Amino acid sequence: MSSLFARFGPLAAAAALALPACAQSTVKVAPQHAVSSANQTAPQTFAIWPGAAPGSERATQVETISRFPGAGFEVVRNVTRPTLEVFRPEPGMATGASVVIAPGGGFRYLTMQAEGADVARALTAHGVTVFVLKYRTLETPADDGQHWREFFVFMAGAARSNGAFNLDEASVQGVADGVQALRLVRQRAAEFQIDPARVGMIGFSAGARVTAGALLDADPAARPAFAGLIYGATFNDAALPADLPPVFLAVAGDDKLAEPTVLNFYRAAANKGRQPELHVYRDGGHGFGMNKQGKSSDFWINDLVNWLQVQQLARP
């Protein structure tokens, strides 16, 4: 099974106007709010592969910044050259722990703000060095209107699947990028003044599929030291390793597609004696990220930071 976008938080009336009638009742999106970076040091960005990424040598699609219909927040799509953007704590604050963040977007685009940069800034405030991963996405139409029409039809099918929507093929390149990102961060640990034994990964929705792929890699050395799976925890019914690292799970109870995969992962891990941290919020829909909706899911980042502190990875 693969996780995806079960339902979104409130919004998207304008987007629904362009959709087939069968899709209009299921497609909503959590409002995205920009976070000012006026006081932030400009992040460093670098490619994760030397030259073209394996399998994308002949890719012709052009990376594009699009705006989500009816919401206005920006997303990036048609990514063929994956990168990492580095966010560092203030001098003297760093704990030595670091995390690679994989935003979501159904492998059709990446929500780089509310599931990337905003999360990074929240974690650097607690001493964690953060690398936001822009991993490869599926090729989508160059025309924005066509892209969004196809995306919402895809979303309507995902919403009807009740957690059984399969993204195994779509995730292959993203998972490869996630594993490579972890490898590269460890290799450059001295440069970034981090502990190579404390490099974790946090993924959102499709990004959680990327994170789970790294978490269950056949090579234990390739896995993250700890992981966060946020509204998505697919593990393809594969046997969980006996040495599964610490895992944090978060999902909204009204996210009817991601909630089943999160609970399945929790039960499977608990049965292995590797009980993760699990937070099921009353509501919040799918894709709440760092958005404020006046719901308990708004505070998931606090729960994550508390968990990281218990793991001795973050500062109070």
Side-chain angles (χ1 to χ4, degrees):
M1 297 188 302
S2 284
S3 69
L4 190 71
F5 295 76
R7 56 169 290 177
F8 292 108
L11 196 113
L17 295 177
L19 303 183
C22 64
Q24 292 183 15
S25 64
T26 61
V27 181
K28 295 184 179 181
V29 134
Q32 307 287 309
H33 305 291
V35 172
S36 172
S37 58
N39 297 322
Q40 297 285 339
T41 303
Q44 171 189 1
T45 302
F46 57 90
I48 67 169
W49 298 100
S56 296
E57 294 87 352
R58 298 186 178 182
T60 58
Q61 62 266 38
V62 178
E63 185 173 307
T64 304
I65 300 294
S66 297
R67 289 191 176 276
F68 197 99
F73 64 88
E74 290 185 344
V75 302
V76 61
R77 58 190 183 88
N78 283 326
V79 177
T80 60
R81 297 182 179 275
T83 61
L84 283 172
E85 187 174 19
V86 190
F87 295 77
R88 303 175 189 249
E90 293 292 335
M93 276 289 294
T95 65
S98 63
V99 64
V100 173
I101 293 180
F107 295 104
R108 282 151 173 81
Y109 64 81
L110 300 176
T111 305
M112 298 295 291
Q113 188 74 30
E115 296 174 345
D118 292 353
V119 182
R121 295 186 180 104
L123 295 180
T124 57
H126 295 275
V128 181
T129 301
V130 180
F131 302 82
V132 177
L133 174 62
K134 184 170 70 174
Y135 56 89
R136 282 173 287 175
T137 58
L138 298 173
E139 183 173 3
T140 52
D143 177 74
D144 253 10
Q146 182 182 351
H147 158 68
W148 290 115
R149 284 191 295 272
E150 291 181 6
F151 173 75
F152 285 121
V153 170
F154 157 75
M155 281 299 308
R160 290 192 295 268
S161 73
N162 194 34
F165 206 80
N166 191 295
L167 283 177
D168 292 350
E169 184 176 350
S171 69
V172 170
Q173 291 186 335
V175 171
D177 292 344
V179 171
Q180 171 66 6
L182 290 167
R183 181 182 297 114
L184 189 59
V185 168
R186 291 188 180 112
Q187 288 174 351
R188 298 177 62 173
E191 174 187 347
F192 298 115
Q193 299 180 315
I194 58 175
D195 182 353
R198 293 192 294 160
V199 180
M201 192 169 190
I202 299 172
F204 298 80
S205 191
R209 176 70 181 86
V210 170
T211 303
L215 189 64
L216 303 177
D217 194 278
D219 179 7
R223 300 171 191 159
F226 58 93
L229 302 175
I230 315 301
Y231 37 84
T234 301
F235 56 103
N236 296 327
D237 298 323
L240 295 177
D243 57 348
L244 185 73
V247 178
F248 177 93
L249 301 167
V251 70
D254 61 349
D255 186 347
K256 297 307 179 185
L257 192 128
E259 185 201 35
T261 70
V262 170
L263 296 183
N264 287 343
F265 187 99
Y266 175 81
R267 293 188 189 101
N271 289 339
K272 289 278 188 179
R274 308 293 291 182
Q275 186 167 344
E277 177 94 358
L278 172 64
H279 294 265
V280 180
Y281 302 101
R282 179 181 179 274
D283 53 10
H286 191 88
F288 48 77
M290 292 294 288
N291 305 309
K292 301 301 180 186
Q293 304 181 77
K295 303 177 185 298
S296 59
S297 57
D298 292 356
F299 304 100
W300 75 271
I301 190 67
N302 299 344
D303 294 326
L304 173 65
V305 168
N306 291 339
W307 179 76
L308 291 172
Q309 289 177 19
V310 171
Q311 307 296 320
Q312 299 184 336
L313 298 166
R315 294 187 183 276

